[in-house]
Amino acid sequence: MAETGEPFSCLNAVEIFADLTAQDMAALDRMSPPKLFSSGELVFSQSQPVTALFILKEGRIRIFRVAEDGKTLTIAILEPGAVFGEMLLVGQQMYDNYAEAIEDSIVCQLTAADVEEHFLSNPKIAVKISRLLGQQVARLEDRLTDMALRPLAARTASTLLTLDDAAPRGRFTYTRSVKLTHEQLAGLLGATREATSKTMADFAARGLIRQGRGRITINDIDGLRRISRSTF
């Protein structure tokens, strides 16, 4: 990890921890040293469950679930600053899920005891953590509803808009670019790679998006919004 001259902290990148005192922040940083996960490495899985709170400092993490037939359903792709994990103390269980680094990622981990001592005693932070982790359950329910009721083009458009909204702006161009392969997008959609690539090629031909190597840029947000609302 490169030296920047600034003390390393996972917590200062996350808005929900803004109510912590500097003393608490420093104490928690000492308890949660950063760990590098290489691309493709699992942060946790069904076979290796971890009761902990994870904070993504750098990179991207995919949260996914594996169905009985072996197909994977991606629940979310997390960007830096995201908080995820299993926290029984706030009613969030992730034992059916997997978390995988989809690029080299730096993650900090806090134990249940750390969270109980420093966070849950603070009602503001406890509510924020509960809400954030609960959103992952809501996203899964939305994915399942989409797969059952909405056509692939609508699901693709909606997912691209959501990812674009969360994507960081370019350092110099200030434009957003979604870093995602067709295979990763297919996992989010619960679709095959072939069907996903065909839909993306159609979007590109219509000028709605521009595709590069593992990157997607939206050219027509309004056009994608119209498609996202379609039911046929």
Side-chain angles (χ1 to χ4, degrees), residues 143 146-160 189-191 227-228:
R143 294 265 184 270
D146 277 355
M147 287 180 2
L149 301 177
R150 301 178 68 200
L152 179 57
R155 284 153 43 203
T156 305
S158 178
T159 299
L160 289 176
L189 298 169
I227 294 172
S228 71

Side-chain angles (χ1 to χ4, degrees), residues 202-210 217-224 226-227:
D202 177 61
F203 284 2
R206 294 161 65 179
L208 299 169
I209 63 170
R210 184 173 71 254
T217 303
I218 294 179
N219 294 331
D220 186 350
I221 289 179
D222 290 337
L224 285 182
R226 286 192 294 272
I227 294 172

Side-chain angles (χ1 to χ4, degrees), residues 5-171:
E6 295 291 330
F8 185 91
S9 173
C10 270
L11 304 184
N12 64 11
V14 185
E15 185 273 334
I16 64 172
F17 301 134
D19 293 322
L20 286 174
T21 66
Q23 185 177 2
D24 281 341
M25 190 90 75
L28 283 166
D29 278 328
R30 289 193 294 271
M31 297 174 191
S32 56
K35 179 178 179 181
L36 174 64
F37 289 87
S38 300
S39 179
E41 187 175 355
L42 290 176
V43 179
F44 62 75
S45 67
Q46 283 183 321
S47 61
Q48 293 180 314
V50 179
T51 301
L53 193 70
F54 298 93
I55 303 160
L56 179 58
K57 179 70 173 180
E58 295 179 14
R60 292 190 301 159
I61 298 291
R62 177 173 75 118
I63 306 294
F64 67 98
R65 186 170 289 188
V66 180
E68 291 182 1
D69 60 4
K71 293 181 180 179
T72 62
L73 173 63
T74 300
I75 301 170
I77 291 181
L78 307 178
E79 301 284 348
V83 176
F84 63 102
E86 178 177 312
M87 277 282 103
L88 298 179
L89 292 169
V90 293
Q92 174 66 26
Q93 296 184 359
M94 297 289 288
Y95 54 78
D96 286 335
N97 296 338
Y98 297 76
E100 175 195 28
I102 57 175
E103 58 187 55
D104 290 351
S105 301
I106 296 175
V107 177
C108 296
Q109 176 180 331
L110 291 166
T111 67
D114 295 334
V115 173
E116 184 174 21
E117 179 181 354
H118 293 272
F119 295 157
L120 299 190
S121 59
N122 184 320
K124 289 183 179 179
I125 297 178
V127 168
K128 289 177 181 178
I129 291 175
S130 227
R131 183 182 298 127
L132 273 177
L133 297 181
Q135 286 172 356
Q136 294 182 356
V137 175
R139 278 195 293 265
L140 174 60
E141 293 174 351
D142 288 343
R143 294 265 184 270
L144 295 175
T145 300
D146 277 355
M147 287 180 2
L149 301 177
R150 301 178 68 200
L152 179 57
R155 284 153 43 203
T156 305
S158 178
T159 299
L160 289 176
L161 290 169
T162 299
L163 292 170
D164 180 70
D165 188 56
R169 291 188 179 275
R171 186 172 181 180

